Amino acid sequence: MLIAHLSDPHVRPEGVLYQGVVDSNAQFATAIAQVNALDPRPDLLLLTGDLVDHGQGEEYATLSRMLADLDVPLLAIPGNHDEREAFRRAFSGQPWLPAEGPIHYAVGDRGAVRIVALDVTLPGLHHGAVSDEGAAWLDRVLTEEPLRPTIVMMHQPPFATGIPYMDPYDCREGHRFAAVIARHPQVERILCGHVHRVMQMRFGGTVLCTAPSTTTAIALQLRADARPASYIEPPAMLLHHWRVGRGLVSHVVPIGTFPGPYPFA
């Protein structure tokens, strides 16, 4: 099973630049085209939040037009820049979408790997949290298929990155989440967005990784007094490849056109 993973496109209304600097819509369109062009084509695309920038209906209308070009089945969760009910309206035709409450769901009919989505966003706030109710829901859903390889996706990562201007906006109650994950060894990966960078760590007895943004990269600054900064770096996505007898391998794939291929390896 091949799973493409994009995050944080921050789609804006037509003709509006992200932060007045970046054409986030054009970059997301390029990412969609690259997903469509992958060979073999992915079985699934995951979008781990911040699909739009201000949660506006006009942004979601633009997003819907862009996703109409996608040739791969899609699963998505909201981020802190999304507005939950506008997100729900934008994806109203999707069978995985819950009718109310947090956007929690589980999908097991797309291939060998089961996908469990945990909505840790808090409406109106930029940090997230794993509530008692969310942890109980996750524990119950993971208990249903204890032998099925599983990915859990969420937006804000539940750990301190060391980047001082990002950590106040992490997912809180990470210990509660880790305790649930540790009870379910079938969880192959925890996938997050939010930080606009690739990061990996061991968490709850499994591997957690964050996806880059298709728009900008948040600067990797580890000094406690560092000021917020971003760069327009080459965008990228993650590609997760599951194979029987080996498990899940995750790749970082730059988005764009580059010199090559050359006849050597």
Side-chain angles (χ1 to χ4, degrees):
M1 184 176 183
L2 193 61
I3 302 167
H5 178 193
L6 299 174
S7 200
D8 297 81
H10 289 272
V11 167
R12 300 294 343 262
E14 294 286 357
V16 179
L17 298 179
Y18 172 67
Q19 299 291 344
V21 174
V22 185
D23 191 344
S24 57
N25 295 6
Q27 295 192 191
F28 189 46
T30 299
I32 290 172
Q34 186 152 332
V35 169
N36 287 342
L38 288 170
D39 184 15
R41 181 169 289 175
D43 299 285
L44 190 61
L45 171 64
L46 306 182
L47 286 174
T48 48
D50 283 358
L51 277 58
V52 304
D53 197 40
H54 290 291
Q56 301 168 347
E58 187 178 358
E59 292 175 326
Y60 283 107
T62 301
L63 175 73
S64 295
R65 288 193 294 272
M66 297 178 75
L67 290 176
D69 292 331
L70 180 67
D71 296 331
V72 173
L74 168 72
L75 299 177
I77 52 172
N80 53 296
H81 283 260
D82 290 296
E83 199 284 319
R84 186 178 286 166
E85 296 313 312
F87 177 101
R88 204 186 310 272
R89 289 191 294 272
F91 291 99
S92 60
Q94 295 288 346
W96 45 261
L97 186 74
E100 58 184 17
I103 313 295
H104 303 324
Y105 60 88
V107 172
D109 62 352
R110 299 296 184 180
V113 180
R114 187 182 189 217
I115 310 296
V116 175
L118 181 67
D119 182 2
V120 298
T121 61
L122 300 171
L125 299 173
H126 284 296
H127 71 274
V130 178
S131 65
D132 285 328
E133 294 79 9
W137 176 89
L138 179 64
D139 196 35
R140 182 171 65 254
V141 167
L142 292 176
T143 300
E144 292 171 356
E145 296 195 51
L147 301 180
R148 181 85 175 271
T150 299
I151 286 173
V152 175
M153 67 173 182
M154 58 202 296
H155 182 62
Q156 293 98 331
F159 67 92
T161 67
I163 301 174
Y165 40 83
M166 289 304 297
D167 286 341
Y169 310 118
D170 64 358
C171 175
R172 300 176 188 177
E173 307 302 331
H175 63 282
R176 179 181 293 153
F177 177 63
V180 173
I181 295 298
R183 291 195 289 272
H184 299 282
Q186 78 271 28
V187 176
E188 290 277 344
R189 286 290 186 284
I190 302 163
L191 302 181
C192 305
H194 186 60
V195 293
H196 292 215
R197 299 199 64 85
V198 178
M199 303 180 190
Q200 294 187 77
M201 70 174 295
R202 193 144 181 88
F203 187 92
T206 189
V207 177
L208 181 153
C209 60
T210 67
S213 169
T214 60
T215 301
T216 56
I218 289 174
L220 178 58
Q221 300 187 101
L222 301 178
R223 290 177 57 95
D225 60 351
R227 302 187 66 174
S230 291
Y231 289 92
I232 304 175
E233 296 180 1
M237 63 180 169
L238 299 182
L239 196 61
H240 310 284
H241 186 204
W242 166 266
R243 197 163 65 195
V244 175
R246 185 200 62 189
L248 193 70
V249 173
S250 297
H251 305 270
V252 179
V253 182
I255 294 170
T257 302
F258 307 97
Y262 297 104
F264 54 80

